[in-house]
Amino acid sequence: MIIGMRGHDFGRMEPHALAAAISGCGYRAVQLAFGKAFAGKPESYLSDDALLSLRRTFSGHALAIPVMGCYVSAGDRNAAVRMQEAEKFARYLRASVKLGAQCVGTETTHFTAGESEREEAYAGLLEFTRHVAKAAEDCGAIAAVEPVSYHTMATPELTRRLLDDVSSAHLRVILDPANLLPPGVTSSSVQLDLVRRSLTLFGDKVCALHIKDGIWNSENRWENRPLGEGCMDWEAIFPLLRANNDSLCALREGVWPGREAEECRMMQRWAQR
């Protein structure tokens, strides 16, 4: 298993400085979201020359790029906005090929309506996903969606349904076990059940892992914590993830300031047990 981190957890930096900082802490992979990780407008990094320069920079520090982040409202209820977001995502898919990123990833939009409206929201997400999967097929890229308990694609079962409805070899899943926890839920048994259900339903489609720790506050909002100091039972979860696919990148999301190297070593220990 390859241990990496989300690039913009260091804040905005120049690419060479960011690559050096990440590799210096022991990580061997990075998730890059241009608008969050680098100074300047993200569009300035989308030219062929800029993408090839970034690819050389990060490979020069022995850093793989398993995920190119593209933050869009994939399940937006407004059809015109949703298609604008799909076109943006398609541009990033084409860019990911030049960058050497293994996938372009997004979540699927907060879902604040009642369950009676879930099907309508899902229909919009399906339209978006079919569009970007076709774009990924056309350029040889991978589109990846991430289930979150309070988003349009909220459960392992709904994730499997989307994969079946789109039916594309160019559509994959980013698995973040913490994001599958319903608000307020912390029990280890629920965590393990969600991970097992996910791996049973789409384990062969997981292309990257997100690793975070935290707590639900008094308002049932997630608050990040250092690894090992939140509710996540990573020592029990990591063996399941490894047994499913030990070649994936596990990306620390929300690296705790001042503990970057320590958290890398902690993940390395979990990944070797």
Side-chain angles (χ1 to χ4, degrees):
M1 187 170 284
I2 301 167
I3 303 304
M5 65 170 285
R6 193 172 60 176
H8 58 272
D9 285 341
F10 273 118
R12 293 174 184 265
M13 301 174 69
E14 293 300 321
H16 283 284
L18 180 61
I22 291 170
S23 64
C25 292
Y27 296 95
R28 290 296 170 257
V30 58
Q31 174 173 322
L32 286 179
F34 292 174
K36 294 174 176 282
F38 303 143
K41 296 181 178 180
E43 292 78 12
S44 65
Y45 295 95
L46 290 176
S47 70
D48 286 355
D49 287 346
L51 291 164
L52 290 172
S53 176
L54 287 173
R55 183 172 185 165
R56 287 193 295 266
T57 295
F58 284 87
S59 65
H61 286 273
L63 290 169
I65 307 174
V67 180
M68 183 182 187
C70 183
Y71 294 87
V72 295
S73 186
D76 202 282
R77 304 297 287 276
N78 183 307
V81 171
R82 196 168 59 244
M83 283 301 98
Q84 289 175 357
E85 299 288 74
E87 288 300 325
K88 175 183 176 181
F89 199 88
R91 289 197 301 273
Y92 275 70
L93 285 166
R94 292 188 288 271
S96 73
V97 178
K98 293 285 186 181
L99 181 64
Q102 295 168 24
C103 75
V104 180
T106 186
E107 296 175 343
T108 65
T109 309
H110 281 69
F111 181 77
T112 56
E115 280 302 313
S116 62
E117 298 183 44
R118 177 80 64 182
E119 282 298 312
E120 180 185 348
Y122 175 80
L125 174 62
L126 178 58
E127 179 188 42
F128 169 94
T129 310
R130 282 177 170 155
H131 186 95
V132 301
K134 178 61 167 60
E137 291 166 3
D138 289 344
C139 66
I142 296 293
V145 288
E146 181 177 341
V148 182
S149 67
Y150 45 89
H151 284 192
T152 304
M153 191 173 72
T155 65
E157 290 73 22
L158 202 54
T159 305
R160 180 68 254 178
R161 179 181 169 189
L162 185 71
L163 291 168
D164 289 341
D165 286 347
V166 176
S167 188
S168 172
H170 290 258
L171 177 63
R172 305 288 173 82
V173 179
I174 296 170
L175 179 60
D176 183 335
N179 274 353
L180 286 172
L181 281 179
V185 175
T186 61
S187 80
S188 176
S189 62
V190 173
Q191 295 176 34
L192 294 172
D193 176 65
L194 285 165
V195 172
R196 290 189 181 105
R197 281 160 51 198
S198 297
L199 297 179
T200 297
L201 289 166
F202 53 81
D204 60 330
K205 292 289 188 177
V206 176
C207 62
L209 305 165
H210 280 168
I211 310 299
K212 65 162 71 79
D213 212 342
I215 61 168
W216 297 105
N217 66 18
S218 59
E219 298 176 346
N220 271 347
R221 293 183 179 179
W222 183 265
E223 292 184 359
N224 285 332
R225 290 289 186 272
L227 281 182
E229 297 184 17
C231 70
M232 296 302 296
D233 189 358
W234 286 115
E235 292 198 51
I237 293 171
F238 256 84
L240 300 178
L241 301 176
R242 287 191 62 198
N244 176 69
N245 187 344
D246 199 29
S247 67
L248 293 177
C249 288
L251 298 161
R252 171 70 169 114
E253 183 177 302
V255 170
W256 202 257
R259 297 192 183 186
E260 298 88 353
E262 175 188 345
E263 292 194 337
C264 181
R265 291 191 296 270
M266 186 179 298
M267 290 173 64
Q268 288 168 342
R269 289 196 301 272
W270 290 336
Q272 292 168 1
R273 289 179 178 173

